[in-house]
Amino acid sequence: MVQLQGSETNEYCKKIGRPIIKGFKIGDDFPVEAMNSFEVEAFLFDTFVHGLDGGTGRTFDWTILAKRVFSRPFIVAGGLNSENVSDLIGTIRPAGVDVSSGVSANATRKDPDKMRKFVEAVTAAGKSGSKPVRQQGFDILRDAFHQRPLVAINGKQFLINPLTEQVPATDAELLRIAAMRVCEALDLEDGLKLVGEEDKGGVLLAAVSLQSGLPFGIARWYPSGLAGQVQVNFDCEYTSGGLYLNGVEPGDRVIIVDDLISTGGTLIGLIEAVRRAGATVEQIVCVAEKYNYAGVDRVRNATGLDVKTLVRIDVAGETSSVLSVAYQLRDE
């Protein structure tokens, strides 16, 4: 990663071609919106001292960060040592800490004992808090899809990520936030029923049901032979087959919930299954959208229905890139 401590613009940072930690000096002027516009991997906050771009060795008022929400994980620097770092972590739960002079023996050498005590203090403070460190500082849902590996399958880019593929394993807080964002995007009322498919969206569907209090039916990838099961065929970016829908009855008003839309083939099949069951699809929401494959347009053209998506992703490069999010970042 590259750490930048000067007056670099977002455009400059994007030209580096490597992950960026962007440093900001914290003083009386604290433009959070301007900071949040930077498309970097992390922020680093240091104390403002006139004439210095970093390495101040002085602390600032950490409490001014506590009520703010940042679009990226943040690291705190400035005058930290083994005696005050626990207070910092307990106050604002940063994603990381940056120390130099606080573990120094002199201007050119570090003190092993000070370093050991500092690490011990950070470790103890990190274990004492009940709230995950990353949740104070950045958008966990956006991060789940940004700069993730892509694998070519059948001429399409398959997105490896923690929410839909469990690579790495799905964090419980990520699932909670994803379900919460879905509920915020919907018009929820009594009498509605949730529907999704089991292969990748089943976990999200269950979480949304828990948060919304609405029942759900599910489309499986294999038949059970039970009465009332509806079968349709589908095709998606990497496979095709049958969907077998349970739990939807004639007259139901349905919300379809899915994790990721690519070409839209699975959604079109799911909509057809709901309609064959005699129910009506009233709303559709997907957490993420690969905008390159125009799945939202394909669904609209094939079914006449609009799909709400929360995270728009570009999969044309070597890794994924989040283009935009359709929700307001706030304290959870």
Side-chain angles (χ1 to χ4, degrees):
M1 303 181 82
V2 176
Q3 182 170 311
L4 301 174
Q5 291 289 130
S7 57
E8 300 86 4
T9 64
N10 183 44
E11 289 69 27
Y12 181 91
C13 293
K14 291 165 66 175
K15 293 178 181 179
I16 299 297
R18 294 289 185 273
I20 300 293
I21 299 174
K22 180 66 181 81
F24 294 99
K25 295 173 286 186
I26 305 303
D28 294 334
D29 183 24
F30 190 44
V32 176
E33 291 186 4
M35 293 178 184
N36 282 344
S37 68
F38 275 75
E39 301 173 57
V40 294
E41 309 316 302
F43 301 146
L44 184 138
F45 299 141
D46 201 349
T47 308
F48 174 77
V49 176
H50 183 72
L52 294 180
D53 286 330
T56 66
R58 305 181 192 179
T59 60
F60 60 90
D61 181 7
W62 305 319
T63 61
I64 66 176
L65 303 179
K67 300 298 183 181
R68 311 297 179 92
V69 177
F70 301 100
S71 62
R72 302 292 187 272
F74 64 84
I75 303 163
V76 175
L80 297 179
N81 55 52
S82 61
E83 296 179 357
N84 64 16
V85 71
S86 295
D87 291 337
L88 165 69
I89 294 173
T91 300
I92 57 175
R93 309 295 294 173
V97 291
D98 181 316
V99 65
S100 182
S101 61
V103 294
S104 293
N106 53 51
T108 60
R109 296 180 65 85
K110 301 303 179 190
D111 184 313
D113 186 55
K114 288 182 179 180
M115 293 176 68
R116 187 175 299 108
K117 289 180 178 179
F118 186 87
V119 172
E120 290 172 353
V122 171
T123 301
K127 291 179 179 179
S128 66
S130 60
K131 190 174 185 180
V133 170
R134 61 179 173 273
Q135 281 307 289
Q136 178 65 29
F138 74 112
D139 185 350
I140 187 175
L141 184 57
R142 176 193 179 279
D143 184 69
F145 293 101
H146 187 56
Q147 293 198 340
R148 297 293 174 171
L150 299 170
V151 178
I153 298 179
N154 295 335
K156 296 290 193 299
Q157 293 286 66
F158 192 82
L159 176 60
I160 307 299
N161 71 90
L163 184 64
T164 70
E165 303 304 323
Q166 290 71 55
V167 181
T170 304
D171 187 279
E173 186 68 2
L174 170 60
L175 181 60
R176 185 186 74 83
I177 293 293
M180 182 187 70
R181 297 298 187 207
V182 168
C183 290
E184 291 173 348
L186 295 171
D187 296 322
L188 298 175
E189 58 182 78
D190 292 338
L192 294 171
K193 182 177 288 184
L194 304 173
V195 168
E197 55 88 19
E198 68 168 351
D199 177 51
K200 299 179 185 297
V203 172
L204 175 68
L205 180 67
V208 172
S209 176
L210 287 171
Q211 290 220 11
S212 67
L214 297 177
F216 69 88
I218 198 163
R220 304 181 182 277
W221 284 42
Y222 57 90
S224 65
L226 297 175
Q229 188 172 74
V230 176
Q231 176 186 355
V232 296
N233 295 324
F234 77 98
D235 67 273
C236 64
E237 62 181 317
Y238 57 92
T239 190
S240 62
L243 289 176
Y244 304 87
L245 179 62
N246 295 331
V248 178
E249 301 173 357
D252 280 346
R253 300 163 55 215
V254 167
I255 296 173
I256 293 180
V257 174
D258 208 355
D259 54 353
L260 179 67
I261 179 170
S262 296
T263 61
T266 305
L267 263 181
I268 291 171
L270 194 53
I271 292 167
E272 177 62 22
V274 171
R275 288 173 170 174
R276 287 190 187 181
T280 302
V281 178
E282 297 197 356
Q283 302 173 63
I284 306 172
V285 63
C286 291
V287 173
E289 167 195 358
K290 296 180 187 175
Y291 98 100
N292 312 73
Y293 300 149
V296 171
D297 292 337
R298 183 184 177 198
V299 171
R300 183 186 301 112
N301 293 336
T303 68
L305 298 175
D306 289 321
V307 180
K308 291 183 180 179
T309 62
L310 307 182
V311 184
R312 295 181 70 244
I313 309 164
D314 182 355
V315 293
E318 294 182 359
T319 60
S320 64
S321 177
V322 170
L323 300 174
S324 63
V325 298
Y327 51 82
Q328 294 295 317
L329 188 65
R330 59 178 178 80
D331 291 315
E332 311 303 350

